[in-house]
Amino acid sequence: MSAVPTTGARRVDFNPVTRVAGALSFQTAVDIEGGQVLDAHALATLFRGYEVILEGRDPRDAIFVSSRACGVCGGVHSTASALALEMAFGVQPPPMGIVGRNLMVAVEDLYDRPTHLFTRVGPDYSEPVVRETNPELWERALQTPAPGRATHGFALIADIMTAMTRFSGKLYTEALGMSRRAREAYVLLGGKYPHPQTIVPGGLSAHINASDLQLMFFRVAEFFDYSQKVVAVWDDIVDFFFEADPRFREVGRGRANFIDLGLWDDPFAYDGTFEAASSWAERRWSTPGAIVDGRVRTSDARRINTGVEEFVGHSFYEDWGSGRAGGSGNGAGPNRLSARHPSNKETIPQPGEADPSRKYSWSTAARWDREPMETGAYARLWATAIADKVPHRSFIEPTGHSLRLAIPQGALPATEIEWRIPERWGALERNRAQAYALAFSALVAYENQVIALDLLRRGGPDAGVSTHYKVPKDGRQATGLWGGNRGYLSHHVTLDGQVIQSYQIVGPSTFNMSPRDDSGKPGPCEAAVIGTPLLSTANRERCIDVLRTIRSFDPCMTCATH
């Protein structure tokens, strides 16, 4: 660890950062008395090596092996792998196969979003934590009516905080039950969770019938009311903290730099080719986007892909040098790839002692156009809202500055909610956006169920679930352009002689929890922690606002250290 930078600062380590991050340690230099974080380093402490394991294997193994890169969101890795293999094999799934995969990804998100909001970040805003660190806020909460009472049922802000208490709180336990309902929906098509058995190149290996769709609908429909409730809860909590002390807007503050490849393919537009990727990716329910300082640089998935690079100056890997510079196949011509692009990367572990002045993390530093970028469900909302290109507007309407979501009637009346792009970006706004993303995913699941039922009614080849394929013998390079529960996800495969020559994965936390890059720029979470004010009025040594910042990124280090 480098020396603490200023007199009066102390080193405070969070090791491990618990609840989902796993192998994540955060080393910080903190001025407790001055109430400020002075420096921070995110240490991914685990190497897993799935990229190395896949070298030399039959490409048909890739879906099932790469799924194990994450035990939380294995389904999205399976799909990203399938997309890469479809591009390499030259195979296009029938519409029903695409719809089935959309349904699986949407309900996977319905599983993960409640657990993030109420079992991972929710406890940091619960009664026990607020009473311990900001007793004046707890007293205020006891006197503050909850504006969303008619939707979520809690009379006071204090009641919401109590319901967020770990293990015993109503919102905590309810989230576990709702995540179970989403997993029940997932296995109807996936066979099991978290590592599905039915995702294959060319579609799905499981037939879809009306009974499956009906059983899935019963579970998805529960999220119409639940997502309204979750949005109302988080709107009330976020607004309460901002009104009580505007400095909470500075906790975890970050640049409006976002990256996402889009999610949920149009069943009649997706053809799996790189040549047409700019077109079919823009027809996804969520729009691809690279946004720098709040402005869209591009919504072209091909340009987003080619702008990605990985740096290892502060990571426990050897530099692969020029590698396979320039790439081939989908990286040729005007989309020629940097030597630092994942398709040209070689995974060469170089373990050592963590030293923030040198190497300190098993995560690489993923960048786009040499910029640190955030990704997540909120990046998906932001890109879709600001680009205003999404063609699927039955329930979702981007406005250029917001996203309007029309939620059908359940026990609660039908309503429209609107997520607005915030003026300032920080930890609490990340959590608020995650709540709206839950409603987004429920609507995508519902619309894809309607499409699936129509395909069954019409019959014919569109109602099939898969397309036959052959593994090519010649050399191929391909990319699976996709997204996970936590954001950007791409798989990059090079084949030759029907064998995997190279396999690389860029996961959401490869961006969010990255270390410094070779030019010294901190990763998004590191930057958000640095400068975060410590607003506790009691037990400030706990540094709860640092933890609130880290957890707002929903780090998953198994994805980052694949």
PDB file of all heavy atoms in Angstrom, residues 142-158:
ATOM      1  N   LEU A 142     -38.846   9.760  11.574  1.00  0.00           N
ATOM      2  CA  LEU A 142     -40.003   9.442  12.420  1.00  0.00           C
ATOM      3  C   LEU A 142     -41.117  10.471  12.283  1.00  0.00           C
ATOM      4  O   LEU A 142     -42.280  10.175  12.609  1.00  0.00           O
ATOM      5  CB  LEU A 142     -39.564   9.363  13.887  1.00  0.00           C
ATOM      6  CG  LEU A 142     -38.762   8.122  14.303  1.00  0.00           C
ATOM      7  CD1 LEU A 142     -38.164   8.320  15.693  1.00  0.00           C
ATOM      8  CD2 LEU A 142     -39.638   6.873  14.266  1.00  0.00           C
ATOM      9  N   GLN A 143     -40.779  11.648  11.784  1.00  0.00           N
ATOM     10  CA  GLN A 143     -41.771  12.723  11.662  1.00  0.00           C
ATOM     11  C   GLN A 143     -42.157  13.014  10.206  1.00  0.00           C
ATOM     12  O   GLN A 143     -42.955  13.908   9.961  1.00  0.00           O
ATOM     13  CB  GLN A 143     -41.198  14.013  12.288  1.00  0.00           C
ATOM     14  CG  GLN A 143     -40.708  13.864  13.713  1.00  0.00           C
ATOM     15  CD  GLN A 143     -41.808  13.448  14.669  1.00  0.00           C
ATOM     16  OE1 GLN A 143     -42.955  13.922  14.549  1.00  0.00           O
ATOM     17  NE2 GLN A 143     -41.489  12.566  15.612  1.00  0.00           N
ATOM     18  N   THR A 144     -41.585  12.240   9.252  1.00  0.00           N
ATOM     19  CA  THR A 144     -41.780  12.552   7.835  1.00  0.00           C
ATOM     20  C   THR A 144     -42.736  11.571   7.168  1.00  0.00           C
ATOM     21  O   THR A 144     -42.429  10.377   7.068  1.00  0.00           O
ATOM     22  CB  THR A 144     -40.429  12.529   7.088  1.00  0.00           C
ATOM     23  OG1 THR A 144     -39.510  13.419   7.735  1.00  0.00           O
ATOM     24  CG2 THR A 144     -40.617  12.944   5.635  1.00  0.00           C
ATOM     25  N   PRO A 145     -43.899  12.033   6.705  1.00  0.00           N
ATOM     26  CA  PRO A 145     -44.815  11.147   5.973  1.00  0.00           C
ATOM     27  C   PRO A 145     -44.176  10.683   4.665  1.00  0.00           C
ATOM     28  O   PRO A 145     -43.410  11.412   4.030  1.00  0.00           O
ATOM     29  CB  PRO A 145     -46.028  12.033   5.703  1.00  0.00           C
ATOM     30  CG  PRO A 145     -45.918  13.156   6.681  1.00  0.00           C
ATOM     31  CD  PRO A 145     -44.453  13.380   6.894  1.00  0.00           C
ATOM     32  N   ALA A 146     -44.494   9.467   4.279  1.00  0.00           N
ATOM     33  CA  ALA A 146     -43.990   8.909   3.027  1.00  0.00           C
ATOM     34  C   ALA A 146     -44.930   9.295   1.884  1.00  0.00           C
ATOM     35  O   ALA A 146     -46.097   8.888   1.887  1.00  0.00           O
ATOM     36  CB  ALA A 146     -43.875   7.398   3.134  1.00  0.00           C
ATOM     37  N   PRO A 147     -44.475  10.068   0.885  1.00  0.00           N
ATOM     38  CA  PRO A 147     -45.353  10.491  -0.207  1.00  0.00           C
ATOM     39  C   PRO A 147     -45.955   9.332  -0.992  1.00  0.00           C
ATOM     40  O   PRO A 147     -47.061   9.450  -1.519  1.00  0.00           O
ATOM     41  CB  PRO A 147     -44.425  11.340  -1.089  1.00  0.00           C
ATOM     42  CG  PRO A 147     -43.366  11.829  -0.163  1.00  0.00           C
ATOM     43  CD  PRO A 147     -43.144  10.708   0.802  1.00  0.00           C
ATOM     44  N   GLY A 148     -45.247   8.204  -1.061  1.00  0.00           N
ATOM     45  CA  GLY A 148     -45.734   7.079  -1.853  1.00  0.00           C
ATOM     46  C   GLY A 148     -46.576   6.085  -1.082  1.00  0.00           C
ATOM     47  O   GLY A 148     -46.728   4.936  -1.509  1.00  0.00           O
ATOM     48  N   ARG A 149     -47.154   6.502   0.047  1.00  0.00           N
ATOM     49  CA  ARG A 149     -47.877   5.572   0.909  1.00  0.00           C
ATOM     50  C   ARG A 149     -48.977   4.823   0.159  1.00  0.00           C
ATOM     51  O   ARG A 149     -49.170   3.625   0.355  1.00  0.00           O
ATOM     52  CB  ARG A 149     -48.489   6.333   2.087  1.00  0.00           C
ATOM     53  CG  ARG A 149     -49.331   5.445   3.001  1.00  0.00           C
ATOM     54  CD  ARG A 149     -49.917   6.203   4.172  1.00  0.00           C
ATOM     55  NE  ARG A 149     -50.679   5.337   5.049  1.00  0.00           N
ATOM     56  CZ  ARG A 149     -51.238   5.709   6.188  1.00  0.00           C
ATOM     57  NH1 ARG A 149     -51.124   6.982   6.594  1.00  0.00           N
ATOM     58  NH2 ARG A 149     -51.907   4.857   6.948  1.00  0.00           N
ATOM     59  N   ALA A 150     -49.708   5.501  -0.715  1.00  0.00           N
ATOM     60  CA  ALA A 150     -50.821   4.855  -1.415  1.00  0.00           C
ATOM     61  C   ALA A 150     -50.351   3.689  -2.281  1.00  0.00           C
ATOM     62  O   ALA A 150     -51.121   2.771  -2.555  1.00  0.00           O
ATOM     63  CB  ALA A 150     -51.557   5.883  -2.273  1.00  0.00           C
ATOM     64  N   THR A 151     -49.087   3.720  -2.684  1.00  0.00           N
ATOM     65  CA  THR A 151     -48.546   2.644  -3.523  1.00  0.00           C
ATOM     66  C   THR A 151     -47.828   1.580  -2.705  1.00  0.00           C
ATOM     67  O   THR A 151     -48.071   0.384  -2.874  1.00  0.00           O
ATOM     68  CB  THR A 151     -47.581   3.232  -4.566  1.00  0.00           C
ATOM     69  OG1 THR A 151     -48.280   4.180  -5.376  1.00  0.00           O
ATOM     70  CG2 THR A 151     -47.008   2.132  -5.453  1.00  0.00           C
ATOM     71  N   HIS A 152     -46.946   2.004  -1.797  1.00  0.00           N
ATOM     72  CA  HIS A 152     -46.146   1.003  -1.079  1.00  0.00           C
ATOM     73  C   HIS A 152     -46.687   0.662   0.312  1.00  0.00           C
ATOM     74  O   HIS A 152     -46.282  -0.343   0.900  1.00  0.00           O
ATOM     75  CB  HIS A 152     -44.683   1.437  -0.967  1.00  0.00           C
ATOM     76  CG  HIS A 152     -44.449   2.786  -0.357  1.00  0.00           C
ATOM     77  ND1 HIS A 152     -44.923   3.160   0.872  1.00  0.00           N
ATOM     78  CD2 HIS A 152     -43.737   3.853  -0.818  1.00  0.00           C
ATOM     79  CE1 HIS A 152     -44.522   4.382   1.162  1.00  0.00           C
ATOM     80  NE2 HIS A 152     -43.820   4.837   0.139  1.00  0.00           N
ATOM     81  N   GLY A 153     -47.557   1.460   0.871  1.00  0.00           N
ATOM     82  CA  GLY A 153     -48.224   1.097   2.117  1.00  0.00           C
ATOM     83  C   GLY A 153     -47.538   1.533   3.387  1.00  0.00           C
ATOM     84  O   GLY A 153     -48.045   1.250   4.483  1.00  0.00           O
ATOM     85  N   PHE A 154     -46.392   2.239   3.313  1.00  0.00           N
ATOM     86  CA  PHE A 154     -45.682   2.675   4.512  1.00  0.00           C
ATOM     87  C   PHE A 154     -46.054   4.119   4.823  1.00  0.00           C
ATOM     88  O   PHE A 154     -45.952   4.996   3.951  1.00  0.00           O
ATOM     89  CB  PHE A 154     -44.168   2.554   4.322  1.00  0.00           C
ATOM     90  CG  PHE A 154     -43.706   1.140   4.102  1.00  0.00           C
ATOM     91  CD1 PHE A 154     -43.363   0.701   2.823  1.00  0.00           C
ATOM     92  CD2 PHE A 154     -43.634   0.235   5.153  1.00  0.00           C
ATOM     93  CE1 PHE A 154     -42.937  -0.594   2.603  1.00  0.00           C
ATOM     94  CE2 PHE A 154     -43.213  -1.073   4.941  1.00  0.00           C
ATOM     95  CZ  PHE A 154     -42.868  -1.491   3.666  1.00  0.00           C
ATOM     96  N   ALA A 155     -46.459   4.373   6.053  1.00  0.00           N
ATOM     97  CA  ALA A 155     -46.944   5.709   6.408  1.00  0.00           C
ATOM     98  C   ALA A 155     -45.822   6.721   6.549  1.00  0.00           C
ATOM     99  O   ALA A 155     -45.972   7.877   6.155  1.00  0.00           O
ATOM    100  CB  ALA A 155     -47.738   5.635   7.717  1.00  0.00           C
ATOM    101  N   LEU A 156     -44.696   6.296   7.118  1.00  0.00           N
ATOM    102  CA  LEU A 156     -43.585   7.205   7.403  1.00  0.00           C
ATOM    103  C   LEU A 156     -42.307   6.729   6.722  1.00  0.00           C
ATOM    104  O   LEU A 156     -42.147   5.530   6.452  1.00  0.00           O
ATOM    105  CB  LEU A 156     -43.334   7.285   8.909  1.00  0.00           C
ATOM    106  CG  LEU A 156     -44.491   7.765   9.791  1.00  0.00           C
ATOM    107  CD1 LEU A 156     -44.122   7.592  11.259  1.00  0.00           C
ATOM    108  CD2 LEU A 156     -44.834   9.227   9.483  1.00  0.00           C
ATOM    109  N   ILE A 157     -41.384   7.663   6.496  1.00  0.00           N
ATOM    110  CA  ILE A 157     -40.066   7.275   5.984  1.00  0.00           C
ATOM    111  C   ILE A 157     -39.396   6.310   6.961  1.00  0.00           C
ATOM    112  O   ILE A 157     -38.716   5.365   6.554  1.00  0.00           O
ATOM    113  CB  ILE A 157     -39.190   8.526   5.758  1.00  0.00           C
ATOM    114  CG1 ILE A 157     -39.801   9.425   4.688  1.00  0.00           C
ATOM    115  CG2 ILE A 157     -37.771   8.123   5.379  1.00  0.00           C
ATOM    116  CD1 ILE A 157     -39.899   8.797   3.303  1.00  0.00           C
ATOM    117  N   ALA A 158     -39.621   6.521   8.255  1.00  0.00           N
ATOM    118  CA  ALA A 158     -39.048   5.610   9.249  1.00  0.00           C
ATOM    119  C   ALA A 158     -39.561   4.184   9.066  1.00  0.00           C
ATOM    120  O   ALA A 158     -38.828   3.209   9.293  1.00  0.00           O
ATOM    121  CB  ALA A 158     -39.367   6.105  10.658  1.00  0.00           C
TER     122      ALA A 158
END
